[in-house]
């Protein structure tokens, strides 16, 4: 058992000091932790790499997430069905397609910065990290910006229902109600696109075929519901992790301000070393014994700690240090194996665009006086507020 | 030196074409493919080719 203080202290340490937390977890050489009782936590590089690829042992094919009993698409579908959905969806998120979306993201970024640049202060989380992926999402789905506030509310209800309710039962009800609302909107939009197609993702889904048939309404809404939760908070917390690093590292800010293009390596290195999405979930399909001798039973919930693997120097020298100038190091910030993040090219484009545009316009800035960076303790590792000031 | 991309292992992380656009392009699925499968890696790109090998999460990129 990996223990140390109470559960919430451990959660905070994982979020605030992942390098220390995961080094201790790997050194303990166990999958049993006080923080995640009853779950199997895989933390060393080779176990993580193996589990991500071995979808037959560590399945993603289970429902019951984000207030939806049915499997989300393509996340909760394993090969061979998974391949059919990925063949359909990958091209829509391919690099060239994302490059064509970049001008819209650039404009959204500039519009956000316009709103506060003259004030010399902003809350980076509330004013950039939360709204930017939401505007991108609305552009991608061909939905009006007037949906913005509604979307933010739905996203928070789905991903953080506990924060708005007083019991886990109430949280479950809120998640389910919200999922129904999101799915109703998506089904309504899909219906409208059949009559009047547009150049957007919903139209693409409505017109797509697998096995010679059109996607059903259920398939379309389960895809949209996944994108809704996968595409918003992940980019938000990634931006928060990057800027929390930058306020503590003046030489990295200087590099970004002076060297256009340096954001590419910086974003890669921080995706690896900060790993905003710390863990991904799987379920064991059969009994097995892990290399450390611990047993896993069929049906056990497994957490694959990609954040830990990314920092594990065993198998990749230098992984326990951070160097924003060095090139890529093999990492699993976007997972790996067949379920590798569908939106990775979109996420990279958004992160690079925001980091570039911000430093073009606000090259030097700092945490507001008297403020502290308070991590959220979630496995989607972020900060709810990041008050910045500049001259 | 020649670069190889194992299409069976590739899951489309896209590190190879991002790092080495001179030799690798992305298909419509974001999977990397060699622009010229017969070409050797020019000496000035050998270091970048090694980086592409080191960066591939699926170990699909190799040099021989």
């Amino acid at each position: 058992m990996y223990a140390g203080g109470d559960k919430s202290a451990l959660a905070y340490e994982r979020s605030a000091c992942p390098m220390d937390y995961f080094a201790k977890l790997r050194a303990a050489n166990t999958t049993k932790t006080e923080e995640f009782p009853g779950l199997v936590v895989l933390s060393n590089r080779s176990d993580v790499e193996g589990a991500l690829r071995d979808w037959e042992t560590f399945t993603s094919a289970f429902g019951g997430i984000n207030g939806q009993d049915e499997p989300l698409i393509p996340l909760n579908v394993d090969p061979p069905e998974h391949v059919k959905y990925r063949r359909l969806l990958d091209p829509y998120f391919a690099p060239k397609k994302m490059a064509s979306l970049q001008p819209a993201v650039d404009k959204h970024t500039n519009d956000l910065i316009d709103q506060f640049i003259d004030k010399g202060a902003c809350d980076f989380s509330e004013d950039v990290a939360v709204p930017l992926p939401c505007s991108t999402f609305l552009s991608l789905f061909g939905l009006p910006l007037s949906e913005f506030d509604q979307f933010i509310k739905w996203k928070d209800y789905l991903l953080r229902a506990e924060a708005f309710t007083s019991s886990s039962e109430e949280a479950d009800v809120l998640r389910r109600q919200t999922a129904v609302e999101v799915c109703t909107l998506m089904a309504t939009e899909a219906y409208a696109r059949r009559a009047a197609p547009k150049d957007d993702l919903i139209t693409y889904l409505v017109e797509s075929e697998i096995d010679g048939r059109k996607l059903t309404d259920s398939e379309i809404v389960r895809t949209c519901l996944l994108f809704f939760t996968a595409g918003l908070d992940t980019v938000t917390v990634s931006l928060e992790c990057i800027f929390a690093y930058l306020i503590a590292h003046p030489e990295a800010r200087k590099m970004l301000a002076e060297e256009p293009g340096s954001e590419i390596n910086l974003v890669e290195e921080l995706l690896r070393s900060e790993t905003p999405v710390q863990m991904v979930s799987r379920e064991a399909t059969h009994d097995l014994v892990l290399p450390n001798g611990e047993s896993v039973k069929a049906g056990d919930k497994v957490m694959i700690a990609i954040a830990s693997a990314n920092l594990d120097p065993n198998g990749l020298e230098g992984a326990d240090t951070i160097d924003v100038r060095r090139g890529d190091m093999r990492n699993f910030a976007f997972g790996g194996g067949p379920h590798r993040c569908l939106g990775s090219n979109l996420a990279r484009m958004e992160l690079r665009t925001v980091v570039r545009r911000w430093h073009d316009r606000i090259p030097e800035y700092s945490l507001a006086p008297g403020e502290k960076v308070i991590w959220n303790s979630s496995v989607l590792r972020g900060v709810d507020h990041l008050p910045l000031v500049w001259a | 030196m020649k670069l190889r991309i194992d299409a069976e292992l590739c899951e489309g992380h896209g590190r190879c074409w991002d790092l080495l656009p001179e030799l690798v392009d992305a298909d419509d699925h974001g999977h990397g493919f060699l622009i010229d499968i017969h070409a050797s890696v020019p000496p000035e790109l050998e270091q970048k080719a090694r980086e592409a090998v080191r960066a591939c999460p699926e170990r699909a990129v190799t040099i021989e």
Side-chain angles (χ1 to χ4, degrees):
Chain A
M1 173 74 80
Y2 174 61
D6 60 44
K7 209 174 144 177
S8 65
L10 279 170
Y12 190 79
E13 191 195 2
R14 172 179 43 70
S15 184
C17 315
M19 204 172 270
D20 296 342
Y21 175 95
F22 288 115
K24 283 188 268 183
L25 175 57
R26 289 193 304 274
N29 191 28
T30 179
T31 61
K32 299 176 174 61
T33 67
E34 190 178 338
E35 194 194 339
F36 300 100
L39 305 185
V40 175
V41 181
L42 300 180
S43 60
N44 73 58
R45 183 177 288 276
S46 63
D47 285 353
V48 166
E49 196 168 330
L52 288 172
R53 283 207 192 105
D54 186 1
W55 58 267
E56 288 170 288
T57 303
F58 299 99
T59 182
S60 298
F62 45 83
I65 64 170
N66 298 342
Q68 170 68 264
D69 290 325
E70 299 297 311
L72 299 185
I73 298 171
L75 178 66
N76 301 134
V77 184
D78 275 335
E81 285 300 303
H82 178 258
V83 180
K84 297 175 190 171
Y85 291 117
R86 285 300 288 251
R87 274 191 203 291
L88 192 70
L89 295 167
D90 277 348
Y92 207 88
F93 291 90
K96 286 174 189 127
K97 188 81 189 166
M98 291 303 105
S100 70
L101 190 64
Q102 201 271 343
V105 173
D106 201 42
K107 180 177 186 308
H108 291 319
T109 308
N110 270 324
D111 289 348
L112 292 171
I113 296 176
D114 284 344
Q115 288 176 24
F116 53 68
I117 188 165
D118 292 337
K119 282 191 270 183
C122 78
D123 181 338
F124 182 81
S125 299
E126 282 191 359
D127 297 334
V128 179
V130 169
L132 192 275
C134 192
S135 336
T136 306
F137 191 90
L138 292 170
S139 294
L140 198 63
F141 276 73
L143 296 168
L145 277 172
S146 54
E147 296 282 356
F148 189 92
D149 292 340
Q150 174 81 288
F151 265 47
I152 297 284
K153 195 180 80 183
W154 280 344
K155 166 196 77 112
D156 284 337
Y157 285 176
L158 280 176
L159 294 170
R160 302 169 192 197
E162 285 75 9
F164 301 92
T165 50
S166 50
S167 69
S168 61
E169 290 78 16
E170 281 179 30
D172 191 49
V173 169
L174 179 62
R175 259 193 300 271
R176 284 170 179 277
Q177 283 173 345
T178 308
V180 169
E181 290 180 42
V182 175
C183 291
T184 303
L185 173 86
M186 294 304 180
T188 309
E189 292 292 329
Y191 184 79
R193 294 301 189 286
R194 287 198 181 97
K198 297 208 280 188
D199 180 16
D200 62 25
L201 181 52
I202 301 181
T203 306
Y204 181 77
L205 293 173
V206 162
E207 292 178 347
S208 291
E209 293 189 354
I210 55 169
D211 295 339
R213 63 162 180 87
K214 290 273 199 293
L215 293 181
T216 64
D217 280 353
S218 165
E219 288 174 313
I220 291 171
V221 298
R222 283 183 288 135
T223 308
C224 292
L225 183 62
L226 173 64
F227 291 173
F228 192 83
T229 44
L232 296 181
D233 254 26
T234 50
V235 176
T236 296
V237 297
S238 299
L239 285 168
E240 290 164 357
C241 284
I242 290 170
F243 276 73
Y245 176 89
L246 286 169
I247 53 172
H249 293 84
E251 72 292 345
R253 296 198 297 275
K254 189 163 178 289
M255 175 187 85
L256 289 169
E258 292 175 357
E259 302 171 36
S262 60
E263 68 275 10
I264 293 175
N265 277 349
L266 177 129
V267 165
E268 282 318 306
E269 177 68 347
L270 295 184
L271 280 171
R272 179 190 73 81
S273 58
E274 302 293 312
T275 317
V277 181
Q278 295 188 306
M279 301 187 179
V280 293
S281 301
R282 298 288 190 270
E283 204 173 284
T285 54
H286 56 81
D287 293 358
L288 70 144
V289 178
L290 293 165
N292 73 352
E294 289 177 358
S295 302
V296 177
K297 296 269 173 268
D300 279 357
K301 293 282 182 193
V302 179
M303 301 288 271
I304 305 182
I306 50 183
S308 181
N310 284 350
L311 297 167
D312 186 355
N314 187 11
L316 194 61
E317 199 184 333
D320 52 351
T321 60
I322 302 178
D323 176 358
V324 294
R325 286 183 177 275
R326 90 177 136 200
D328 275 33
M329 294 182 78
R330 175 172 298 121
N331 78 79
F332 305 97
F334 291 105
H339 290 287
R340 190 268 310 170
C341 174
L342 174 65
S344 64
N345 298 309
L346 172 60
R348 283 197 171 95
M349 182 270 283
E350 290 181 88
L351 300 175
R352 290 172 182 180
T353 300
V354 174
V355 172
R356 181 73 267 141
R357 195 53 69 216
W358 175 283
H359 290 86
D360 286 347
R361 300 188 64 185
I362 308 173
E364 187 49 11
Y365 50 93
S366 59
L367 189 64
E371 299 285 352
K372 276 194 264 182
V373 176
I374 299 171
W375 293 91
N376 63 6
S377 301
S378 163
V379 292
L380 280 177
R381 175 180 176 249
V383 291
D384 290 341
H385 298 283
L386 194 61
L388 303 181
V389 291
W390 52 91
Chain B
M1 180 193 282
K2 278 192 173 172
L3 204 63
R4 290 279 172 264
I5 299 174
D6 186 331
E8 291 290 307
L9 292 176
C10 177
E11 296 287 0
H13 292 259
R15 309 325 305 132
C16 52
W17 47 257
D18 213 15
L19 285 164
L20 205 54
E22 299 89 344
L23 303 179
V24 186
D25 200 354
D27 68 14
D28 285 347
H29 296 268
H31 290 206
F33 68 91
L34 295 171
I35 294 165
D36 179 353
I37 56 166
H38 302 296
S40 292
V41 178
E44 69 275 16
L45 291 177
E46 285 186 359
Q47 184 52 36
K48 283 178 77 180
R50 285 191 197 93
E51 281 175 28
V53 171
R54 192 180 62 155
C56 178
E58 309 295 342
R59 301 173 191 265
V61 183
T62 51
I63 43 185
E64 59 188 42

